[in-house]
Amino acid sequence: MTKIAFVTKIDRRQFIGGSLLAAGGLVLMGPSSTKAAEGSIEILIDEPIGTILPEIYGHFVEHLGAVVYDGVWVGEASKIANIGGIRKSLIDALKKIKAPVIRYPGGCFADSYDWRNGIGDRAKRPHRTNFWAGAASEKVPPLSTSRFEPNTFGTNEFMRFCRLTGAKPYLAANLRGGTAKDFSDWVEYCNSPARSTTLAEQRAAGPTPSAEPFGVEYWGIGNESWGCGGNLTADEYSQEFRRFTAAVPGYKVPLKFVGAGASSDDLDWTRGFFAKTSEKGEGIFERIYGWGVHHYSWNVSAGRTSDWNAGKGDALNFNAEEYYELLREAQKVEKAVGDHWAVMGEFDKKHRVKILVDEWGAWHRPGTEVRPEHILGQQSTMRDALVASITLDIFNRNADKVVMGNVAQLVNCLHSLFLADGDRFLETPTYHVFDMFMPHMGAQSVRTEFSVADFSYHRNGTTANFAGLTGSASINNNMITLTVTNPHLTEPRESTIKLRGASVASAAARVLSNDEVHAHNTFDNPRAVEPRDKKVAVSGGAIVFTFAPASITQIQIRRG
Ligand code: AHR
């Protein structure tokens, strides 16, 4: 039963501009608007789903706006602390969250990139028009690196970044503008043994030399080949994919090729590719590691157009409906993963090809970027942190299907973990989600039942339901990690947490929440949003925990 209550209990500070309040003064609330709702979470420790590959917690760096310059690369001569030109604070923060993999150099940029432009003497590297130059507003200085790519940061610099952070590289090849030979040359440049080839010698020269091969395993074959990556049909892409990946030597590295998959729910692209590719016999799927689905949480509620960028809602100024709608967008990735998986299985019956969600995140309209040069840059609030926790929990729950996730993008862009501007640097609330979810990396995902009542909210003149609590659980030896998102803007949720077939010996919690769902970290107040430890009461082998409104909780449970 849904009750209607007046909003006087809602903290008005939560709504910048008061849009919800102005819109009628009503909210729909769940079964109880006066006391914390009751629910239960049961972790089925004997029902494994699959190992949560650490790569699910991966990242993405594109030559776009200020992601590379000055997010990652500040230059060796910079006064900003750096290691070989790479921002030290970023390296340290990525090491802390054990960044497993970084996708590079795009995105759409990848299909315009000639990797040869980014090697050798930096002073001699060509300056080229950046793919994203057309997206720069008139406020972007005419010769900005956001418009014109100086190629200062190239393959060797990226590999150094990976080595310094401990992340594996995941390179995206240029399928639209490059050739299959350019691609296999890049593999040779990266992976051929020291002194074995001219390209290996070139790798060992230059300002960031590496005689040792880079050993790159993950290779994306183009990016969004249905759009910016070539406007191909699925049939055409299948043909190009096969041509690019045929007989490429790996130099003892097991090459993992990733197909440029669909956007969100575009099952036709997936079906088209798998159907066409299967004409070569089902064995061809042995040679394909993954299918790179992209899923953005578009901020397009409240009747906005789905204009790819400017028509969206704001990152900081949103009302309750816009808050819930963005979280709903995040939830859609679960259906997308399931639907693509089913279509892939029609052709690849043994499911050799897995899913990489190699671009995901919230996408707001421009206006909150640190500087105009930060094309697609946006601020990141508690709402974005909830988008991240909902998404990562979905990946955990689908650990049998999803082998990698790459949040778009690492710094100064969409849904970033970091914002940087010269010597100013901060961690967004989303960074803390990655930190809190770390114990899931490499653990066994187990089925978890959430029995918590749905609640309702106003949606476009009507009402819509939302799950009371969502989350995932995993086991690593004797340690169980449960992560839970309470999406309700104003109501806490009290829940009993049990292990099926075992008892809880002890537990500890960390919570990311804030009285203001619009709260975010700024250069002046970089720690406005950060997790806090919370005591957990264990009684009779179970836990009773109250999940704060609009919060993300990590509970580490030791079983008895
Ligand atoms: O992440 C920004 C862009 O979004 C990427 O370059 C592209 O692949 C996607 O459309």
Side-chain angles (χ1 to χ4, degrees):
M1 284 284 288
T2 297
K3 284 185 181 175
I4 297 179
F6 286 96
V7 290
T8 45
K9 287 182 191 154
I10 296 177
D11 183 349
R12 286 168 184 263
R13 289 173 309 151
Q14 289 183 337
F15 304 99
I16 291 178
S19 337
L20 169 78
L21 308 173
L26 289 175
V27 286
L28 292 175
M29 305 183 90
S32 165
S33 59
T34 51
K35 74 181 199 43
E38 294 191 338
S40 74
I41 300 171
E42 194 171 14
I43 304 172
L44 282 58
I45 55 177
D46 291 328
E47 293 198 28
I49 296 171
T51 300
I52 299 171
L53 293 188
E55 288 75 18
I56 280 178
Y57 292 85
H59 305 280
F60 175 29
V61 165
E62 177 167 4
H63 284 262
L64 193 185
V67 177
V68 171
Y69 318 103
D70 71 345
V72 177
W73 180 260
V74 295
E76 286 158 327
S78 173
K79 288 193 182 125
I80 301 161
N82 69 85
I83 303 179
I86 299 165
R87 184 182 284 275
K88 185 171 180 308
S89 46
L90 180 65
I91 295 168
D92 293 343
L94 287 175
K95 271 162 67 178
K96 189 162 168 263
I97 57 170
K98 293 193 174 21
V101 64
I102 306 174
R103 180 172 182 248
Y104 172 83
C108 293
F109 176 86
D111 276 298
S112 66
Y113 183 58
D114 181 346
W115 63 269
R116 287 188 175 84
N117 289 341
I119 63 168
D121 185 347
R122 282 195 202 112
K124 293 191 182 142
R125 295 185 192 175
H127 289 219
R128 309 303 305 262
T129 307
N130 186 291
F131 171 88
W132 291 98
S137 74
E138 68 287 352
K139 291 184 191 145
V140 176
L143 295 181
S144 164
T145 51
S146 300
R147 296 178 187 271
F148 299 105
E149 171 59 51
N151 282 302
T152 317
F153 188 88
T155 301
N156 287 44
E157 288 78 14
F158 173 68
M159 294 302 164
R160 180 140 198 224
F161 180 42
C162 289
R163 283 178 176 164
L164 288 168
T165 55
K168 292 181 191 167
Y170 168 19
L171 294 179
N174 179 347
L175 180 119
R176 171 168 60 83
T179 64
K181 182 174 180 306
D182 293 330
F183 169 57
S184 64
D185 283 353
W186 202 12
V187 177
E188 181 177 316
Y189 179 82
C190 290
N191 291 358
S192 60
R195 297 181 302 281
S196 65
T197 66
T198 305
L199 289 174
E201 293 291 358
Q202 288 179 11
R203 182 183 70 223
T208 316
S210 180
E212 285 314 303
F214 297 133
V216 181
E217 282 178 82
Y218 300 108
W219 293 92
I221 309 303
N223 170 77
E224 298 192 349
S225 304
W226 38 264
C228 66
N231 259 326
L232 303 180
T233 65
D235 278 11
E236 288 164 344
Y237 178 63
S238 166
Q239 184 176 323
E240 290 303 301
F241 180 93
R242 283 176 281 127
R243 216 160 57 78
F244 266 61
T245 55
V248 181
Y251 308 94
K252 295 193 179 154
V253 177
L255 300 183
K256 295 185 162 109
F257 297 125
V258 180
S263 177
S264 296
D265 57 0
D266 181 3
L267 299 181
D268 289 345
W269 177 257
T270 296
R271 181 169 280 108
F273 175 84
F274 277 78
K276 190 71 188 167
T277 306
S278 68
E279 287 175 8
K280 294 290 285 183
E282 227 191 299
I284 194 161
F285 294 120
E286 305 276 1
R287 295 183 18 222
I288 307 176
Y289 177 68
W291 188 235
V293 173
H294 291 179
H295 179 81
Y296 284 100
S297 298
W298 304 115
N299 186 342
V300 291
S301 57
R304 293 200 171 85
T305 65
S306 60
D307 168 287
W308 78 279
N309 202 22
K312 298 187 167 58
D314 194 78
L316 293 175
N317 186 351
F318 53 89
N319 62 25
E321 178 176 338
E322 291 162 325
Y323 162 85
Y324 287 122
E325 287 297 291
L326 194 76
L327 303 194
R328 185 179 286 287
E329 284 286 303
Q331 286 182 333
K332 287 181 185 168
V333 76
E334 187 143 39
K335 181 166 171 0
V337 164
D339 289 351
H340 287 292
W341 186 253
V343 171
M344 290 156 69
E346 290 171 22
F347 306 94
D348 171 25
K349 300 208 170 52
K350 291 190 187 156
H351 274 304
R352 304 162 185 93
V353 186
K354 308 290 187 203
I355 291 177
L356 292 81
V357 185
D358 54 9
E359 285 187 28
W360 67 267
W363 192 320
H364 310 295
R365 71 167 171 241
T368 63
E369 62 275 21
V370 174
R371 288 178 180 278
E373 296 91 303
H374 295 208
I375 300 171
L376 301 193
Q378 57 190 36
Q379 249 297 359
S380 214
T381 65
M382 268 304 299
R383 175 175 64 158
D384 298 289
L386 268 76
V387 167
S389 63
I390 288 169
T391 305
L392 293 170
D393 276 325
I394 289 170
F395 294 168
N396 290 344
R397 294 200 295 267
N398 289 275
D400 52 335
K401 309 177 188 74
V402 179
V403 291
M404 193 187 289
N406 305 80
V407 58
Q409 300 192 12
L410 185 68
V411 51
N412 288 341
C413 196
L414 307 168
H415 211 150
S416 292
L417 275 71
F418 310 98
L419 298 180
D421 180 32
D423 60 0
R424 304 188 300 169
F425 181 78
L426 66 80
E427 291 154 359
T428 67
T430 294
Y431 172 82
H432 296 300
V433 176
F434 275 72
D435 186 25
M436 290 166 68
F437 277 57
M438 271 175 60
H440 284 308
M441 293 162 83
Q444 183 63 236
S445 174
V446 290
R447 211 158 72 72
T448 306
E449 283 175 1
F450 286 78
S451 307
V452 183
D454 289 359
F455 63 90
S456 312
Y457 66 97
H458 273 299
R459 185 193 200 198
N460 202 13
T462 169
T463 62
N465 277 4
F466 213 91
L469 293 177
T470 58
S472 69
S474 67
I475 303 189
N476 202 343
N477 296 317
N478 227 15
M479 184 63 83
I480 292 143
T481 301
L482 171 71
T483 42
V484 178
T485 300
N486 176 6
H488 202 291
L489 263 175
T490 55
E491 289 186 18
R493 288 278 179 270
E494 187 187 70
S495 268
T496 311
I497 302 165
K498 288 184 190 151
L499 307 179
R500 187 176 291 177
S503 64
V504 176
S506 63
R510 278 174 87 203
V511 180
L512 188 68
S513 69
N514 196 287
D515 292 343
E516 280 274 1
V517 75
H518 304 92
H520 53 279
N521 295 334
T522 62
F523 294 125
D524 293 334
N525 190 6
R527 298 181 59 187
V529 182
E530 60 181 8
R532 291 196 185 82
D533 292 338
K534 197 168 169 194
K535 287 219 168 73
V536 179
V538 179
S539 161
I543 298 167
V544 176
F545 192 86
T546 301
F547 296 95
S551 70
I552 298 143
T553 302
Q554 174 228 62
I555 304 184
Q556 295 230 258
I557 302 168
R558 207 165 274 285
R559 64 174 148 179

